[in-house]
Amino acid sequence: MTRRVADAPRSLARRLLPLQIGVGLQGLILWVPIEKLFMTQIGFDAASVGVMAAAYAAVVPLLEVPSGILADRWSRRWVMILGCVALVASSLLGGLSHSVVAYVIAAMILGVYFAFSSGTIDSVVYDTVVEETGSNERYETWIGRTRAAESAAFVLSALAGGVLAQYTSTRFTYFATIPLVALAIIGFLRFEEPRLHQAAERVSLRSHVALTFRTMITSRVVLSVLLLVAAGGLLSQAVFEFGPLWLVALAAPAALYGPYWAVLVSTLGVAGLLIGKLHLDRWLMLAILIILSLATALLLTWTRSLPVLVTAQVVLALVLAIVSIHASRLLHDAVPSSVRAGVSSGAGTLTWALFLPFSLAFGWVAQQNGINWSGLMLAGAVVVVAVLLIISVRASRGVAPVDVAATAKQEAVEVTQAAEQLACKQLVELVADYLDDALSPQIRARFEEHLTGCDGCTTYLKQTQQIIAELGDLSTEPNNVQASRPESAD
Amino acid sequence: MKISIGRMIANLAARGRALGNRFVWWSRWFPPARTVDADRFQRGSDPYPDHWQQFPRPWPADQAVQPEALEGAVAALPEPWRRVVILRDGEGRSPAEVSAATGLTAAQQRDVLNRARELLREEVGRRLEHDGDGS
């Protein structure tokens, strides 16, 4: 009998590989870096760019809830595939369009893609991790790797898209995207979807909203941090959405758009790396970030030099990414775990809701007075973000960070230790550890103490033991269920 | 202090934040996976927070667990869970043996067992009650 020790993450890795390949291929949208250039070629001006951004900003929140329901009731994998189909349709229509109206329709179909892929990948990774290891402990690691594949694809497509546009045409990048996304569909088809749909707790939209609202109005800290997250998200989105318009205004060559976009996208990852090294709890650091962002935003309204412009945008995007990560940490600390899902999706929805009027106004101002004048809107938004940042940091000072355990079992142990007693909700997480004699003596004593006084948990434990006994009987019978082992496949 | 890039990005993503741009890092914060649905317990505003909303109903004393019901429930488990349940509870193998066969640590096996047994308990209980109503 051969004993080969295969580690669990390896079978998990094998299972998630097609998904990661699919996500990576889906990220290879070659037209993204030159989109604004192409749009001006087919007759867009700044105002209609604003309308287009508003159009898809309106589609996403509208479709997000129905797509979530579809994913839960039907299949996450097929919802992701539908998202790919929408991306193909959008690229095809975008590439074929010669008018503003046709392209706005393509952008709205792109909104369908955003709505369908939003959150779906996360929940699929989450359920797969739970199905392979029994808990969500390794979720962060694996969603991180999946996101890394995605962001690598963004950077790659930014570089490749610019080069492709230079040597062929901007229009061709749209058609070149289609086969890559079609390959992503094959990746998703080869992925074995988890069957554990009940693994993540579902929260209805109504209770989301109610919980978010209640948490918001009861705590000034949460309210200010929430607004900070939304305003920071809005501003960051505005830089990515309207930044390329400055390049168009200065008639930058097509080849520049690729590297420009790649650097802009990579600020997200760089910010993640930098955040651990920056002391954001110090006022000096916050002051530097605020001055830097204000200076770069004002620079955008004045400069006519391409290198200065690109540098200013990249620095602004980087600072905003750092602020956003910090803000989300403040939110994480200020909000109890039970409503965190609601509050953070509230922040996301708020971002979209704010972005819609902002992009319309931005486009209108740019149309009337030129892109540099709209730059002042960015500077104004920077001031708002700075004020909110200062208020949030001050308000958060008094709040002890809520350290939340990653898994239900860790949470049960921590709660029990803090409260010196065990509730039913915690007991059920510890039953297997109790039966395996893997609890600490202290927790074990509390477990048994709880059992003596609780009929419900006594029944629960008894029934679990009955199941275990019956499972043992089952496999001693002749027509037992065969254990299928991974080795038997070799 | 070494922090892997993956971990960094994960931290970023797991905070459920929408870093707004067209490629918003669509990530939601997920509550820890629970063995028993949180709705089955009383909420913070109820008289006994975190205690059973309704006690698990005791099974009829005269009825044994039906092997077919259990077999059906085992077959419905996700494949990785079924493997652990059959090896550990069915064949009574030791955690070390199951580690060798599946690559799951003893702690991970307990996580799997706790959740899988709860699914089986629920399903078998449902069958028992259903039969009890019928006859």
Side-chain angles (χ1 to χ4, degrees):
Chain A
M1 189 173 162
T2 53
R3 289 259 174 91
R4 185 171 58 85
V5 182
D7 62 337
R10 202 174 296 163
S11 72
L12 189 57
R14 217 171 16 233
R15 186 158 168 198
L16 285 173
L17 187 65
L19 183 77
Q20 288 169 322
I21 292 173
V23 168
L25 285 167
Q26 200 186 23
L28 290 174
I29 312 174
L30 296 169
W31 50 261
V32 168
I34 52 83
E35 187 194 17
K36 295 299 176 294
L37 183 64
F38 176 72
M39 285 165 71
T40 40
Q41 284 168 356
I42 62 168
F44 268 89
D45 54 26
S48 41
V49 170
V51 171
M52 187 220 63
Y56 77 68
V59 169
V60 178
L62 275 181
L63 277 181
E64 206 176 338
V65 175
S67 75
I69 293 170
L70 206 60
D72 286 347
R73 294 284 151 87
W74 181 38
S75 154
R76 274 85 168 276
R77 194 176 60 158
W78 280 101
V79 165
M80 291 194 296
I81 290 169
L82 276 187
C84 283
V85 171
L87 182 54
V88 167
S90 171
S91 301
L92 185 64
L93 191 60
L96 290 173
S97 60
H98 288 271
S99 71
V100 170
V101 175
Y103 198 85
V104 169
I105 294 171
M108 289 175 83
I109 299 174
L110 189 72
V112 176
Y113 158 68
F114 283 131
F116 274 42
S117 52
S118 88
T120 312
I121 289 159
D122 304 61
S123 50
V124 166
V125 171
Y126 181 92
D127 281 1
T128 309
V129 169
V130 172
E131 216 173 81
E132 290 286 335
T133 65
S135 88
N136 55 308
E137 203 172 2
R138 301 192 67 78
Y139 166 66
E140 285 206 351
T141 312
W142 282 100
I143 193 66
R145 289 178 189 176
T146 310
R147 290 295 175 213
E150 192 180 34
S151 59
F154 287 163
V155 174
L156 192 70
S157 67
L159 294 170
V163 172
L164 198 64
Q166 182 75 10
Y167 288 102
T168 58
S169 70
T170 47
R171 196 178 289 279
F172 182 73
T173 57
Y174 284 79
F175 301 123
T177 302
I178 294 170
L180 296 171
V181 180
L183 280 175
I185 295 179
I186 296 174
F188 291 141
L189 282 172
R190 290 188 63 95
F191 171 67
E192 190 198 333
E193 185 173 23
R195 292 153 73 193
L196 275 177
H197 279 246
Q198 70 270 42
E201 285 176 80
R202 304 274 164 257
V203 187
S204 73
L205 176 71
R206 220 160 127 201
S207 54
H208 254 174
V209 174
L211 280 170
T212 307
F213 191 65
R214 214 178 307 139
T215 315
M216 268 170 52
I217 54 172
T218 45
S219 163
R220 278 191 48 219
V221 185
V222 176
L223 183 62
S224 63
V225 179
L226 193 69
L227 288 173
L228 174 64
V229 171
L234 161 82
L235 192 51
S236 174
Q237 183 155 346
V239 171
F240 279 85
E241 192 62 49
F242 301 113
L245 288 177
W246 268 276
L247 273 72
V248 174
L250 291 183
L256 191 71
Y257 285 82
Y260 156 77
W261 189 258
V263 176
L264 213 55
V265 171
S266 65
T267 55
L268 302 174
V270 174
L273 289 171
L274 278 179
I275 193 107
K277 301 192 164 51
L278 300 176
H279 295 280
L280 287 168
D281 48 341
R282 294 195 190 143
W283 287 112
L284 178 67
M285 185 50 83
L286 288 180
I288 292 173
L289 288 181
I290 289 170
I291 291 167
L292 211 54
S293 55
L294 205 55
T296 50
L298 288 174
L299 212 56
L300 288 180
T301 65
W302 283 326
T303 186
R304 301 288 300 167
S305 145
L306 203 56
V308 174
L309 188 82
V310 171
T311 312
Q313 283 191 21
V314 168
V315 172
L316 183 58
L318 182 65
V319 171
L320 287 173
I322 291 169
V323 169
S324 293
I325 298 169
H326 189 59
S328 60
R329 285 201 182 160
L330 292 176
L331 191 68
H332 180 85
D333 289 345
V335 175
S337 66
S338 57
V339 296
R340 191 170 299 136
V343 171
S344 51
S345 63
T349 311
L350 198 60
T351 306
W352 282 111
L354 289 174
F355 183 67
L356 204 146
F358 186 89
S359 59
L360 285 175
F362 190 96
W364 186 78
V365 172
Q367 171 79 0
Q368 298 294 313
N369 308 304
I371 186 78
N372 284 15
W373 274 93
S374 328
L376 281 178
M377 283 181 70
L378 289 187
V382 167
V383 172
V384 172
V385 168
V387 170
L388 286 168
L389 182 63
I390 293 166
I391 294 175
S392 303
V393 171
R394 282 185 66 145
S396 307
R397 283 283 158 102
V399 182
V402 188
D403 216 6
V404 178
T407 72
K409 191 158 85 183
Q410 286 167 13
E411 191 182 279
V413 169
E414 279 170 23
V415 168
T416 307
Q417 273 165 349
E420 304 220 328
Q421 61 179 355
L422 192 80
C424 311
K425 193 178 175 181
Q426 284 106 47
L427 184 134
V428 295
E429 301 295 343
L430 303 173
V431 169
D433 284 53
Y434 175 73
L435 294 174
D436 263 16
D437 210 3
L439 290 176
S440 72
Q442 188 194 19
I443 300 285
R444 186 181 179 84
R446 279 171 196 165
F447 189 102
E448 285 169 346
E449 188 189 307
H450 178 99
L451 276 179
T452 57
C454 179
D455 289 345
C457 289
T458 309
T459 308
Y460 184 91
L461 180 65
K462 208 178 102 187
Q463 289 177 347
T464 304
Q465 284 170 316
Q466 241 172 300
I467 291 288
I468 296 168
E470 201 61 41
L471 282 165
D473 293 349
L474 209 64
S475 72
T476 53
E477 283 165 27
N479 58 340
N480 60 0
V481 189
Q482 282 298 319
S484 51
R485 296 190 198 172
E487 283 79 7
S488 63
D490 297 342
Chain B
M1 199 168 71
K2 265 192 199 165
I3 303 168
S4 75
I5 297 178
R7 185 91 190 160
M8 281 290 191
I9 297 170
N11 283 339
L12 231 148
R15 301 304 180 234
R17 146 209 70 89
L19 209 165
N21 64 68
R22 281 183 68 171
F23 296 117
V24 173
W25 295 51
W26 285 111
S27 284
R28 289 176 184 163
W29 183 84
F30 284 92
R34 299 202 167 278
T35 304
V36 177
D37 198 356
D39 290 345
R40 300 280 295 274
F41 301 97
Q42 301 189 23
R43 293 166 193 278
S45 51
D46 293 333
Y48 299 103
D50 289 354
H51 288 256
W52 295 102
Q53 198 70 261
Q54 274 183 316
F55 280 175
R57 303 229 326 242
W59 292 339
D62 53 329
Q63 276 181 304
V65 175
Q66 298 153 314
E68 313 83 62
L70 188 58
E71 248 173 71
V74 170
L77 289 176
E79 166 64 23
W81 292 16
R82 186 164 63 234
R83 211 185 300 146
V84 176
V85 164
I86 290 172
L87 290 173
R88 285 286 306 268
D89 292 346
E91 301 177 9
R93 310 247 178 183
S94 71
E97 281 178 293
V98 178
S99 276
T102 64
L104 293 167
T105 65
Q108 285 171 333
Q109 288 171 39
R110 289 195 293 274
D111 289 337
V112 169
L113 286 174
N114 207 44
R115 295 168 59 76
R117 286 167 182 164
E118 163 58 13
L119 287 187
L120 298 178
R121 191 195 68 85
E122 272 283 323
E123 182 56 30
V124 166
R126 208 171 5 243
R127 288 282 203 98
L128 277 177
E129 273 182 22
H130 183 73
D131 290 357
D133 293 345
S135 56

